[in-house]
Amino acid sequence: MAPPNIALIKYWGKADVQRNHPAVGSLSVTLDGLHTETHLSASSSDQFILNGKPAPAMAARAFAFADAMYAACGEGPRPSMAIQTDNNFPTAAGLASSASGFAALTLALDAAFGWSLGADDLAQWACRGSGSAPRSLLGGFVRLDLAQDAERIALSPVASAQDWPLHLVVAVTSLAQKKTGSTEGMTRSRGTSPYYDQWLATHAADLDAAQHAIAARDFAALAEVTEHSCLKMHAVMFASRPPLIYWNAASVAAIDAVRQMQAEGLQACFTMDAGPQVKVLCTAECADTVADRLARVTGVDTVLRARVGVGARVLDVAVSG
């Protein structure tokens, strides 16, 4: 089982498409209360079930990942298996379901076939599935960078859930799957957005500022750089050709609601990924108010709540190799 994570300092773009390495680092918060649960079982043929239904496109991606991981870590041909995955939050709608999904699948394959890979190797494999997935392996606040040799990613904890027990409130403004996936969108931005190079050049300073703010428990500083990173990323998207506009009217209305709450003195800030959902990081003291105000925004379908949580974990072993 693995939780999703929400990047406070975003990554957008690939440095190495084959390894799926991100072009810039990222800093995220792992969520409690939302999760992907993945079960593997022996089967006479490969099967993939997502939220109770066949999902051919995701099946191809999941089994390609399983084939690559088994070829590197296993012996002989990969046995056929059934993969059953369930999310307790909207899938492929900008809520990091690919991150939690591939983190869960990485741990499931390692446990099922008894490889006992180390934490660093698990992170490298999770990244092959989704550039955000390694962050879901750890709890609390997590930083992901390219290693100095640029051959591997470097994953490091920044603070635990207990160190700073913030809350996250999600305004779900659409349950539809996004039309343009993140990988496709990143490729488009890299090739066409005039802001892409500046995105790369200014990113390291945002990462350091966020890490310092977390160390100091300075919510105002973290809020400023979190929103700045989000808006910079979406500016890169907006200026891509054709433009990548993941927002909808309710997204804008929810951001306006956050701005009003900030003017009233609430400690809250917004961020958005490649999807229309608005995520609001806030202190525990104002979480109820934030959730209530977002629920009243026109166009918000539902409101999800989570706290800073722990990382992925193995629940049981369903297949032996």
Side-chain angles (χ1 to χ4, degrees), residues 12 189-190 192-199 231-241 244:
W12 189 252
S189 291
R190 181 177 183 175
T192 67
S193 178
Y195 302 150
Y196 186 78
D197 288 343
Q198 280 297 102
W199 164 253
L231 293 174
K232 279 201 302 183
M233 182 183 74
H234 283 278
V236 173
M237 296 176 179
F238 290 166
S240 301
R241 293 185 174 180
L244 295 159

Side-chain angles (χ1 to χ4, degrees), residues 100-120:
S100 57
F102 278 100
L105 183 56
T106 299
L107 286 190
L109 288 165
D110 179 62
F113 296 110
W115 297 325
S116 299
L117 298 178
D120 182 67

Side-chain angles (χ1 to χ4, degrees), residues 140-156:
F141 298 83
V142 182
R143 179 165 173 167
L144 188 154
D145 294 285
L146 278 180
Q148 289 186 347
D149 61 6
E151 294 295 317
R152 300 168 73 83
I153 59 161
L155 194 65
S156 57

Side-chain angles (χ1 to χ4, degrees), residues 203-297:
H203 202 78
D206 293 345
L207 279 168
D208 291 341
Q211 186 158 344
H212 292 155
I214 293 169
R217 309 294 185 266
D218 185 339
F219 190 88
L222 181 61
E224 192 280 331
V225 73
T226 292
E227 292 185 355
H228 182 58
S229 176
C230 170
L231 293 174
K232 279 201 302 183
M233 182 183 74
H234 283 278
V236 173
M237 296 176 179
F238 290 166
S240 301
R241 293 185 174 180
L244 295 159
I245 303 175
Y246 291 102
W247 300 19
N248 57 30
S251 306
V252 177
I255 290 174
D256 286 344
V258 175
R259 289 290 192 225
Q260 181 59 42
M261 287 185 271
Q262 291 172 335
E264 296 169 10
L266 274 68
Q267 289 191 298
C269 66
F270 70 85
T271 190
M272 293 178 65
D273 294 299
Q277 327 309 350
V278 178
K279 296 95 171 182
V280 182
L281 188 71
C282 62
T283 58
E285 293 76 15
C286 66
D288 288 343
T289 300
V290 170
D292 179 66
R293 297 277 285 274
L294 289 176
R296 289 188 270 135
V297 171

